[in-house]
PDB file of all heavy atoms in Angstrom:
ATOM      1  N   LEU A   1       9.123  -2.576  -6.952  1.00 93.00           N
ATOM      2  CA  LEU A   1      10.387  -3.274  -6.768  1.00 93.00           C
ATOM      3  C   LEU A   1      10.109  -4.750  -6.555  1.00 93.00           C
ATOM      4  O   LEU A   1       9.402  -5.122  -5.618  1.00 93.00           O
ATOM      5  CB  LEU A   1      11.147  -2.726  -5.559  1.00 93.00           C
ATOM      6  CG  LEU A   1      11.605  -1.280  -5.636  1.00 93.00           C
ATOM      7  CD1 LEU A   1      12.101  -0.812  -4.276  1.00 93.00           C
ATOM      8  CD2 LEU A   1      12.692  -1.125  -6.671  1.00 93.00           C
ATOM      9  N   GLN A   2      10.634  -5.580  -7.426  1.00 92.00           N
ATOM     10  CA  GLN A   2      10.518  -7.035  -7.326  1.00 92.00           C
ATOM     11  C   GLN A   2       9.076  -7.488  -7.152  1.00 92.00           C
ATOM     12  O   GLN A   2       8.754  -8.341  -6.331  1.00 92.00           O
ATOM     13  CB  GLN A   2      11.395  -7.551  -6.192  1.00 92.00           C
ATOM     14  CG  GLN A   2      12.852  -7.247  -6.406  1.00 92.00           C
ATOM     15  CD  GLN A   2      13.727  -7.704  -5.263  1.00 92.00           C
ATOM     16  OE1 GLN A   2      13.248  -8.151  -4.229  1.00 92.00           O
ATOM     17  NE2 GLN A   2      15.024  -7.594  -5.453  1.00 92.00           N
ATOM     18  N   GLY A   3       8.178  -6.899  -7.911  1.00 92.00           N
ATOM     19  CA  GLY A   3       6.791  -7.335  -7.915  1.00 92.00           C
ATOM     20  C   GLY A   3       5.933  -6.794  -6.784  1.00 92.00           C
ATOM     21  O   GLY A   3       4.759  -7.117  -6.691  1.00 92.00           O
ATOM     22  N   ARG A   4       6.499  -5.960  -5.919  1.00 95.00           N
ATOM     23  CA  ARG A   4       5.731  -5.338  -4.834  1.00 95.00           C
ATOM     24  C   ARG A   4       5.860  -3.827  -4.956  1.00 95.00           C
ATOM     25  O   ARG A   4       6.725  -3.326  -5.656  1.00 95.00           O
ATOM     26  CB  ARG A   4       6.252  -5.811  -3.469  1.00 95.00           C
ATOM     27  CG  ARG A   4       6.043  -7.317  -3.294  1.00 95.00           C
ATOM     28  CD  ARG A   4       6.538  -7.801  -1.962  1.00 95.00           C
ATOM     29  NE  ARG A   4       5.615  -7.340  -0.924  1.00 95.00           N
ATOM     30  CZ  ARG A   4       5.967  -7.217   0.347  1.00 95.00           C
ATOM     31  NH1 ARG A   4       7.185  -7.499   0.745  1.00 95.00           N
ATOM     32  NH2 ARG A   4       5.097  -6.810   1.238  1.00 95.00           N
ATOM     33  N   ILE A   5       5.022  -3.112  -4.228  1.00 94.00           N
ATOM     34  CA  ILE A   5       5.010  -1.661  -4.297  1.00 94.00           C
ATOM     35  C   ILE A   5       5.510  -1.097  -2.970  1.00 94.00           C
ATOM     36  O   ILE A   5       4.988  -1.438  -1.909  1.00 94.00           O
ATOM     37  CB  ILE A   5       3.590  -1.113  -4.569  1.00 94.00           C
ATOM     38  CG1 ILE A   5       2.968  -1.784  -5.784  1.00 94.00           C
ATOM     39  CG2 ILE A   5       3.608   0.400  -4.709  1.00 94.00           C
ATOM     40  CD1 ILE A   5       3.703  -1.546  -7.075  1.00 94.00           C
ATOM     41  N   LEU A   6       6.510  -0.224  -3.049  1.00 96.00           N
ATOM     42  CA  LEU A   6       7.021   0.466  -1.870  1.00 96.00           C
ATOM     43  C   LEU A   6       6.429   1.867  -1.850  1.00 96.00           C
ATOM     44  O   LEU A   6       6.590   2.634  -2.801  1.00 96.00           O
ATOM     45  CB  LEU A   6       8.550   0.553  -1.909  1.00 96.00           C
ATOM     46  CG  LEU A   6       9.195   1.386  -0.811  1.00 96.00           C
ATOM     47  CD1 LEU A   6       8.931   0.779   0.561  1.00 96.00           C
ATOM     48  CD2 LEU A   6      10.683   1.549  -1.062  1.00 96.00           C
ATOM     49  N   LEU A   7       5.722   2.199  -0.772  1.00 95.00           N
ATOM     50  CA  LEU A   7       5.182   3.540  -0.561  1.00 95.00           C
ATOM     51  C   LEU A   7       6.044   4.246   0.475  1.00 95.00           C
ATOM     52  O   LEU A   7       6.397   3.649   1.496  1.00 95.00           O
ATOM     53  CB  LEU A   7       3.751   3.490  -0.019  1.00 95.00           C
ATOM     54  CG  LEU A   7       2.676   2.818  -0.844  1.00 95.00           C
ATOM     55  CD1 LEU A   7       1.362   2.844  -0.080  1.00 95.00           C
ATOM     56  CD2 LEU A   7       2.520   3.507  -2.156  1.00 95.00           C
ATOM     57  N   THR A   8       6.363   5.514   0.237  1.00 94.00           N
ATOM     58  CA  THR A   8       7.068   6.327   1.218  1.00 94.00           C
ATOM     59  C   THR A   8       6.391   7.685   1.297  1.00 94.00           C
ATOM     60  O   THR A   8       5.726   8.115   0.349  1.00 94.00           O
ATOM     61  CB  THR A   8       8.552   6.527   0.851  1.00 94.00           C
ATOM     62  OG1 THR A   8       8.646   7.199  -0.401  1.00 94.00           O
ATOM     63  CG2 THR A   8       9.291   5.201   0.784  1.00 94.00           C
ATOM     64  N   ASN A   9       6.571   8.368   2.436  1.00 87.00           N
ATOM     65  CA  ASN A   9       6.017   9.712   2.563  1.00 87.00           C
ATOM     66  C   ASN A   9       7.025  10.624   3.244  1.00 87.00           C
ATOM     67  O   ASN A   9       8.095  10.186   3.671  1.00 87.00           O
ATOM     68  CB  ASN A   9       4.667   9.700   3.294  1.00 87.00           C
ATOM     69  CG  ASN A   9       4.751   9.196   4.712  1.00 87.00           C
ATOM     70  OD1 ASN A   9       5.807   9.188   5.328  1.00 87.00           O
ATOM     71  ND2 ASN A   9       3.622   8.768   5.245  1.00 87.00           N
ATOM     72  N   ASP A  10       6.684  11.911   3.341  1.00 82.00           N
ATOM     73  CA  ASP A  10       7.600  12.901   3.890  1.00 82.00           C
ATOM     74  C   ASP A  10       7.820  12.747   5.384  1.00 82.00           C
ATOM     75  O   ASP A  10       8.765  13.299   5.927  1.00 82.00           O
ATOM     76  CB  ASP A  10       7.100  14.313   3.593  1.00 82.00           C
ATOM     77  CG  ASP A  10       7.215  14.662   2.127  1.00 82.00           C
ATOM     78  OD1 ASP A  10       8.055  14.055   1.437  1.00 82.00           O
ATOM     79  OD2 ASP A  10       6.469  15.548   1.663  1.00 82.00           O
ATOM     80  N   ALA A  11       6.950  12.024   6.064  1.00 79.00           N
ATOM     81  CA  ALA A  11       7.118  11.807   7.507  1.00 79.00           C
ATOM     82  C   ALA A  11       8.150  10.724   7.785  1.00 79.00           C
ATOM     83  O   ALA A  11       8.503  10.480   8.934  1.00 79.00           O
ATOM     84  CB  ALA A  11       5.784  11.435   8.145  1.00 79.00           C
ATOM     85  N   GLY A  12       8.623  10.039   6.748  1.00 84.00           N
ATOM     86  CA  GLY A  12       9.600   8.973   6.929  1.00 84.00           C
ATOM     87  C   GLY A  12       8.979   7.601   7.060  1.00 84.00           C
ATOM     88  O   GLY A  12       9.668   6.623   7.303  1.00 84.00           O
ATOM     89  N   ASP A  13       7.658   7.519   6.895  1.00 88.00           N
ATOM     90  CA  ASP A  13       6.978   6.227   6.979  1.00 88.00           C
ATOM     91  C   ASP A  13       7.089   5.500   5.637  1.00 88.00           C
ATOM     92  O   ASP A  13       7.197   6.133   4.587  1.00 88.00           O
ATOM     93  CB  ASP A  13       5.502   6.423   7.322  1.00 88.00           C
ATOM     94  CG  ASP A  13       5.308   7.064   8.675  1.00 88.00           C
ATOM     95  OD1 ASP A  13       5.938   6.596   9.637  1.00 88.00           O
ATOM     96  OD2 ASP A  13       4.536   8.030   8.771  1.00 88.00           O
ATOM     97  N   TYR A  14       7.061   4.190   5.685  1.00 94.00           N
ATOM     98  CA  TYR A  14       7.058   3.390   4.455  1.00 94.00           C
ATOM     99  C   TYR A  14       6.183   2.163   4.658  1.00 94.00           C
ATOM    100  O   TYR A  14       5.914   1.755   5.781  1.00 94.00           O
ATOM    101  CB  TYR A  14       8.478   2.990   4.045  1.00 94.00           C
ATOM    102  CG  TYR A  14       9.112   1.973   4.950  1.00 94.00           C
ATOM    103  CD1 TYR A  14       9.032   0.616   4.657  1.00 94.00           C
ATOM    104  CD2 TYR A  14       9.772   2.363   6.101  1.00 94.00           C
ATOM    105  CE1 TYR A  14       9.606  -0.327   5.488  1.00 94.00           C
ATOM    106  CE2 TYR A  14      10.352   1.431   6.945  1.00 94.00           C
ATOM    107  CZ  TYR A  14      10.272   0.090   6.630  1.00 94.00           C
ATOM    108  OH  TYR A  14      10.829  -0.844   7.461  1.00 94.00           O
ATOM    109  N   LEU A  15       5.762   1.589   3.544  1.00 95.00           N
ATOM    110  CA  LEU A  15       4.913   0.411   3.598  1.00 95.00           C
ATOM    111  C   LEU A  15       5.042  -0.341   2.279  1.00 95.00           C
ATOM    112  O   LEU A  15       5.083   0.273   1.205  1.00 95.00           O
ATOM    113  CB  LEU A  15       3.453   0.839   3.823  1.00 95.00           C
ATOM    114  CG  LEU A  15       2.422  -0.263   4.020  1.00 95.00           C
ATOM    115  CD1 LEU A  15       2.718  -1.064   5.284  1.00 95.00           C
ATOM    116  CD2 LEU A  15       1.044   0.348   4.117  1.00 95.00           C
ATOM    117  N   TRP A  16       5.130  -1.657   2.355  1.00 96.00           N
ATOM    118  CA  TRP A  16       5.143  -2.514   1.169  1.00 96.00           C
ATOM    119  C   TRP A  16       3.725  -3.012   0.923  1.00 96.00           C
ATOM    120  O   TRP A  16       3.070  -3.479   1.848  1.00 96.00           O
ATOM    121  CB  TRP A  16       6.068  -3.711   1.379  1.00 96.00           C
ATOM    122  CG  TRP A  16       7.518  -3.356   1.381  1.00 96.00           C
ATOM    123  CD1 TRP A  16       8.296  -3.093   2.467  1.00 96.00           C
ATOM    124  CD2 TRP A  16       8.362  -3.244   0.238  1.00 96.00           C
ATOM    125  NE1 TRP A  16       9.572  -2.818   2.068  1.00 96.00           N
ATOM    126  CE2 TRP A  16       9.645  -2.909   0.706  1.00 96.00           C
ATOM    127  CE3 TRP A  16       8.159  -3.389  -1.138  1.00 96.00           C
ATOM    128  CZ2 TRP A  16      10.721  -2.715  -0.154  1.00 96.00           C
ATOM    129  CZ3 TRP A  16       9.233  -3.198  -1.976  1.00 96.00           C
ATOM    130  CH2 TRP A  16      10.493  -2.867  -1.499  1.00 96.00           C
ATOM    131  N   LEU A  17       3.266  -2.924  -0.326  1.00 95.00           N
ATOM    132  CA  LEU A  17       1.939  -3.416  -0.693  1.00 95.00           C
ATOM    133  C   LEU A  17       2.039  -4.335  -1.895  1.00 95.00           C
ATOM    134  O   LEU A  17       2.933  -4.200  -2.730  1.00 95.00           O
ATOM    135  CB  LEU A  17       1.011  -2.250  -1.062  1.00 95.00           C
ATOM    136  CG  LEU A  17       0.587  -1.298   0.037  1.00 95.00           C
ATOM    137  CD1 LEU A  17      -0.275  -0.194  -0.542  1.00 95.00           C
ATOM    138  CD2 LEU A  17      -0.148  -2.026   1.136  1.00 95.00           C
ATOM    139  N   GLU A  18       1.089  -5.245  -1.976  1.00 94.00           N
ATOM    140  CA  GLU A  18       0.934  -6.054  -3.176  1.00 94.00           C
ATOM    141  C   GLU A  18       0.300  -5.162  -4.250  1.00 94.00           C
ATOM    142  O   GLU A  18      -0.456  -4.240  -3.917  1.00 94.00           O
ATOM    143  CB  GLU A  18       0.045  -7.267  -2.902  1.00 94.00           C
ATOM    144  CG  GLU A  18       0.644  -8.250  -1.905  1.00 94.00           C
ATOM    145  CD  GLU A  18       1.984  -8.811  -2.366  1.00 94.00           C
ATOM    146  OE1 GLU A  18       2.159  -9.050  -3.581  1.00 94.00           O
ATOM    147  OE2 GLU A  18       2.859  -8.995  -1.510  1.00 94.00           O
ATOM    148  N   PRO A  19       0.578  -5.408  -5.523  1.00 92.00           N
ATOM    149  CA  PRO A  19       0.026  -4.550  -6.588  1.00 92.00           C
ATOM    150  C   PRO A  19      -1.496  -4.425  -6.554  1.00 92.00           C
ATOM    151  O   PRO A  19      -2.032  -3.333  -6.784  1.00 92.00           O
ATOM    152  CB  PRO A  19       0.498  -5.228  -7.875  1.00 92.00           C
ATOM    153  CG  PRO A  19       1.733  -5.968  -7.480  1.00 92.00           C
ATOM    154  CD  PRO A  19       1.500  -6.403  -6.056  1.00 92.00           C
ATOM    155  N   GLU A  20      -2.198  -5.510  -6.233  1.00 91.00           N
ATOM    156  CA  GLU A  20      -3.668  -5.449  -6.186  1.00 91.00           C
ATOM    157  C   GLU A  20      -4.137  -4.515  -5.071  1.00 91.00           C
ATOM    158  O   GLU A  20      -5.054  -3.715  -5.255  1.00 91.00           O
ATOM    159  CB  GLU A  20      -4.275  -6.843  -5.966  1.00 91.00           C
ATOM    160  CG  GLU A  20      -3.934  -7.858  -7.023  1.00 91.00           C
ATOM    161  CD  GLU A  20      -2.537  -8.462  -6.847  1.00 91.00           C
ATOM    162  OE1 GLU A  20      -2.010  -8.517  -5.711  1.00 91.00           O
ATOM    163  OE2 GLU A  20      -1.965  -8.870  -7.869  1.00 91.00           O
ATOM    164  N   ASP A  21      -3.499  -4.613  -3.902  1.00 92.00           N
ATOM    165  CA  ASP A  21      -3.854  -3.740  -2.779  1.00 92.00           C
ATOM    166  C   ASP A  21      -3.525  -2.282  -3.099  1.00 92.00           C
ATOM    167  O   ASP A  21      -4.272  -1.376  -2.741  1.00 92.00           O
ATOM    168  CB  ASP A  21      -3.129  -4.167  -1.503  1.00 92.00           C
ATOM    169  CG  ASP A  21      -3.556  -5.543  -1.025  1.00 92.00           C
ATOM    170  OD1 ASP A  21      -4.735  -5.903  -1.248  1.00 92.00           O
ATOM    171  OD2 ASP A  21      -2.721  -6.247  -0.430  1.00 92.00           O
ATOM    172  N   PHE A  22      -2.416  -2.060  -3.769  1.00 92.00           N
ATOM    173  CA  PHE A  22      -2.034  -0.704  -4.146  1.00 92.00           C
ATOM    174  C   PHE A  22      -3.052  -0.111  -5.118  1.00 92.00           C
ATOM    175  O   PHE A  22      -3.455   1.054  -4.983  1.00 92.00           O
ATOM    176  CB  PHE A  22      -0.634  -0.695  -4.757  1.00 92.00           C
ATOM    177  CG  PHE A  22      -0.166   0.671  -5.169  1.00 92.00           C
ATOM    178  CD1 PHE A  22       0.003   1.676  -4.231  1.00 92.00           C
ATOM    179  CD2 PHE A  22       0.112   0.946  -6.495  1.00 92.00           C
ATOM    180  CE1 PHE A  22       0.437   2.936  -4.608  1.00 92.00           C
ATOM    181  CE2 PHE A  22       0.545   2.193  -6.886  1.00 92.00           C
ATOM    182  CZ  PHE A  22       0.719   3.189  -5.932  1.00 92.00           C
ATOM    183  N   GLY A  23      -3.485  -0.908  -6.100  1.00 88.00           N
ATOM    184  CA  GLY A  23      -4.505  -0.446  -7.039  1.00 88.00           C
ATOM    185  C   GLY A  23      -5.801  -0.087  -6.330  1.00 88.00           C
ATOM    186  O   GLY A  23      -6.419   0.949  -6.629  1.00 88.00           O
ATOM    187  N   ASP A  24      -6.217  -0.919  -5.377  1.00 88.00           N
ATOM    188  CA  ASP A  24      -7.426  -0.625  -4.595  1.00 88.00           C
ATOM    189  C   ASP A  24      -7.244   0.633  -3.758  1.00 88.00           C
ATOM    190  O   ASP A  24      -8.160   1.447  -3.632  1.00 88.00           O
ATOM    191  CB  ASP A  24      -7.774  -1.806  -3.674  1.00 88.00           C
ATOM    192  CG  ASP A  24      -8.229  -3.036  -4.437  1.00 88.00           C
ATOM    193  OD1 ASP A  24      -8.590  -2.891  -5.635  1.00 88.00           O
ATOM    194  OD2 ASP A  24      -8.228  -4.133  -3.849  1.00 88.00           O
ATOM    195  N   PHE A  25      -6.062   0.813  -3.182  1.00 89.00           N
ATOM    196  CA  PHE A  25      -5.761   1.991  -2.376  1.00 89.00           C
ATOM    197  C   PHE A  25      -5.861   3.267  -3.213  1.00 89.00           C
ATOM    198  O   PHE A  25      -6.515   4.232  -2.819  1.00 89.00           O
ATOM    199  CB  PHE A  25      -4.359   1.836  -1.774  1.00 89.00           C
ATOM    200  CG  PHE A  25      -3.797   3.072  -1.149  1.00 89.00           C
ATOM    201  CD1 PHE A  25      -4.436   3.698  -0.093  1.00 89.00           C
ATOM    202  CD2 PHE A  25      -2.604   3.610  -1.602  1.00 89.00           C
ATOM    203  CE1 PHE A  25      -3.907   4.840   0.499  1.00 89.00           C
ATOM    204  CE2 PHE A  25      -2.061   4.740  -1.020  1.00 89.00           C
ATOM    205  CZ  PHE A  25      -2.722   5.355   0.031  1.00 89.00           C
ATOM    206  N   ILE A  26      -5.264   3.257  -4.386  1.00 87.00           N
ATOM    207  CA  ILE A  26      -5.293   4.421  -5.274  1.00 87.00           C
ATOM    208  C   ILE A  26      -6.709   4.706  -5.746  1.00 87.00           C
ATOM    209  O   ILE A  26      -7.142   5.863  -5.807  1.00 87.00           O
ATOM    210  CB  ILE A  26      -4.363   4.199  -6.493  1.00 87.00           C
ATOM    211  CG1 ILE A  26      -2.917   4.101  -6.050  1.00 87.00           C
ATOM    212  CG2 ILE A  26      -4.533   5.291  -7.528  1.00 87.00           C
ATOM    213  CD1 ILE A  26      -2.370   5.349  -5.423  1.00 87.00           C
ATOM    214  N   ALA A  27      -7.437   3.660  -6.084  1.00 84.00           N
ATOM    215  CA  ALA A  27      -8.798   3.826  -6.605  1.00 84.00           C
ATOM    216  C   ALA A  27      -9.793   4.198  -5.510  1.00 84.00           C
ATOM    217  O   ALA A  27     -10.922   4.582  -5.798  1.00 84.00           O
ATOM    218  CB  ALA A  27      -9.247   2.538  -7.302  1.00 84.00           C
ATOM    219  N   GLY A  28      -9.393   4.063  -4.248  1.00 84.00           N
ATOM    220  CA  GLY A  28     -10.296   4.368  -3.140  1.00 84.00           C
ATOM    221  C   GLY A  28     -11.261   3.241  -2.833  1.00 84.00           C
ATOM    222  O   GLY A  28     -12.255   3.443  -2.156  1.00 84.00           O
ATOM    223  N   SER A  29     -10.963   2.034  -3.318  1.00 85.00           N
ATOM    224  CA  SER A  29     -11.877   0.909  -3.102  1.00 85.00           C
ATOM    225  C   SER A  29     -11.352  -0.084  -2.070  1.00 85.00           C
ATOM    226  O   SER A  29     -11.891  -1.182  -1.954  1.00 85.00           O
ATOM    227  CB  SER A  29     -12.141   0.199  -4.434  1.00 85.00           C
ATOM    228  OG  SER A  29     -10.932  -0.291  -4.978  1.00 85.00           O
ATOM    229  N   LEU A  30     -10.331   0.282  -1.318  1.00 85.00           N
ATOM    230  CA  LEU A  30      -9.808  -0.586  -0.269  1.00 85.00           C
ATOM    231  C   LEU A  30     -10.765  -0.543   0.916  1.00 85.00           C
ATOM    232  O   LEU A  30     -11.147   0.521   1.382  1.00 85.00           O
ATOM    233  CB  LEU A  30      -8.421  -0.091   0.160  1.00 85.00           C
ATOM    234  CG  LEU A  30      -7.597  -0.997   1.043  1.00 85.00           C
ATOM    235  CD1 LEU A  30      -7.255  -2.302   0.324  1.00 85.00           C
ATOM    236  CD2 LEU A  30      -6.317  -0.295   1.454  1.00 85.00           C
ATOM    237  N   ALA A  31     -11.190  -1.708   1.379  1.00 86.00           N
ATOM    238  CA  ALA A  31     -12.167  -1.787   2.477  1.00 86.00           C
ATOM    239  C   ALA A  31     -11.601  -1.155   3.739  1.00 86.00           C
ATOM    240  O   ALA A  31     -10.468  -1.430   4.130  1.00 86.00           O
ATOM    241  CB  ALA A  31     -12.531  -3.244   2.740  1.00 86.00           C
ATOM    242  N   GLN A  32     -12.386  -0.299   4.381  1.00 86.00           N
ATOM    243  CA  GLN A  32     -11.934   0.395   5.590  1.00 86.00           C
ATOM    244  C   GLN A  32     -11.721  -0.558   6.758  1.00 86.00           C
ATOM    245  O   GLN A  32     -11.001  -0.237   7.693  1.00 86.00           O
ATOM    246  CB  GLN A  32     -12.919   1.488   5.973  1.00 86.00           C
ATOM    247  CG  GLN A  32     -12.902   2.643   5.020  1.00 86.00           C
ATOM    248  CD  GLN A  32     -13.711   3.822   5.523  1.00 86.00           C
ATOM    249  OE1 GLN A  32     -14.250   3.795   6.619  1.00 86.00           O
ATOM    250  NE2 GLN A  32     -13.805   4.847   4.698  1.00 86.00           N
ATOM    251  N   GLU A  33     -12.324  -1.735   6.702  1.00 89.00           N
ATOM    252  CA  GLU A  33     -12.160  -2.712   7.771  1.00 89.00           C
ATOM    253  C   GLU A  33     -10.885  -3.539   7.604  1.00 89.00           C
ATOM    254  O   GLU A  33     -10.523  -4.302   8.496  1.00 89.00           O
ATOM    255  CB  GLU A  33     -13.351  -3.679   7.827  1.00 89.00           C
ATOM    256  CG  GLU A  33     -14.709  -3.014   7.918  1.00 89.00           C
ATOM    257  CD  GLU A  33     -15.236  -2.558   6.562  1.00 89.00           C
ATOM    258  OE1 GLU A  33     -14.969  -3.227   5.550  1.00 89.00           O
ATOM    259  OE2 GLU A  33     -15.898  -1.518   6.528  1.00 89.00           O
ATOM    260  N   SER A  34     -10.239  -3.430   6.462  1.00 90.00           N
ATOM    261  CA  SER A  34      -9.082  -4.289   6.201  1.00 90.00           C
ATOM    262  C   SER A  34      -7.875  -3.846   7.026  1.00 90.00           C
ATOM    263  O   SER A  34      -7.706  -2.665   7.332  1.00 90.00           O
ATOM    264  CB  SER A  34      -8.724  -4.267   4.715  1.00 90.00           C
ATOM    265  OG  SER A  34      -8.122  -3.044   4.375  1.00 90.00           O
ATOM    266  N   PRO A  35      -7.020  -4.803   7.391  1.00 93.00           N
ATOM    267  CA  PRO A  35      -5.805  -4.455   8.143  1.00 93.00           C
ATOM    268  C   PRO A  35      -4.868  -3.559   7.338  1.00 93.00           C
ATOM    269  O   PRO A  35      -4.158  -2.744   7.910  1.00 93.00           O
ATOM    270  CB  PRO A  35      -5.154  -5.799   8.446  1.00 93.00           C
ATOM    271  CG  PRO A  35      -5.970  -6.850   7.806  1.00 93.00           C
ATOM    272  CD  PRO A  35      -7.179  -6.227   7.203  1.00 93.00           C
ATOM    273  N   ILE A  36      -4.895  -3.675   6.021  1.00 93.00           N
ATOM    274  CA  ILE A  36      -4.039  -2.835   5.180  1.00 93.00           C
ATOM    275  C   ILE A  36      -4.483  -1.377   5.276  1.00 93.00           C
ATOM    276  O   ILE A  36      -3.654  -0.470   5.382  1.00 93.00           O
ATOM    277  CB  ILE A  36      -4.059  -3.330   3.717  1.00 93.00           C
ATOM    278  CG1 ILE A  36      -3.434  -4.714   3.647  1.00 93.00           C
ATOM    279  CG2 ILE A  36      -3.348  -2.356   2.795  1.00 93.00           C
ATOM    280  CD1 ILE A  36      -3.615  -5.421   2.335  1.00 93.00           C
ATOM    281  N   HIS A  37      -5.797  -1.147   5.255  1.00 90.00           N
ATOM    282  CA  HIS A  37      -6.319   0.214   5.395  1.00 90.00           C
ATOM    283  C   HIS A  37      -5.898   0.807   6.738  1.00 90.00           C
ATOM    284  O   HIS A  37      -5.480   1.964   6.815  1.00 90.00           O
ATOM    285  CB  HIS A  37      -7.842   0.223   5.258  1.00 90.00           C
ATOM    286  CG  HIS A  37      -8.435   1.588   5.270  1.00 90.00           C
ATOM    287  ND1 HIS A  37      -8.713   2.264   6.428  1.00 90.00           N
ATOM    288  CD2 HIS A  37      -8.782   2.416   4.244  1.00 90.00           C
ATOM    289  CE1 HIS A  37      -9.215   3.445   6.134  1.00 90.00           C
ATOM    290  NE2 HIS A  37      -9.257   3.558   4.816  1.00 90.00           N
TER     291      HIS A  37
END
């Protein structure tokens, strides 16, 4: 949505991510030390 990614889950949580961060998250390459992780 509007150049950002909205994630939602069944628990009712949501989070907005930048496309690059979302790609890293899906690929499993997001650094575990990062605040996004």
Side-chain angles (χ1 to χ4, degrees):
L1 296 169
Q2 299 178 353
R4 296 180 73 202
I5 308 297
L6 173 63
L7 300 178
T8 61
N9 62 21
D10 290 336
D13 297 312
Y14 70 94
L15 185 63
W16 289 95
L17 292 178
E18 295 300 323
E20 300 80 27
D21 295 328
F22 180 63
D24 292 343
F25 168 60
I26 295 296
S29 60
L30 191 63
Q32 290 189 3
E33 307 82 34
S34 73
I36 295 169
H37 185 277

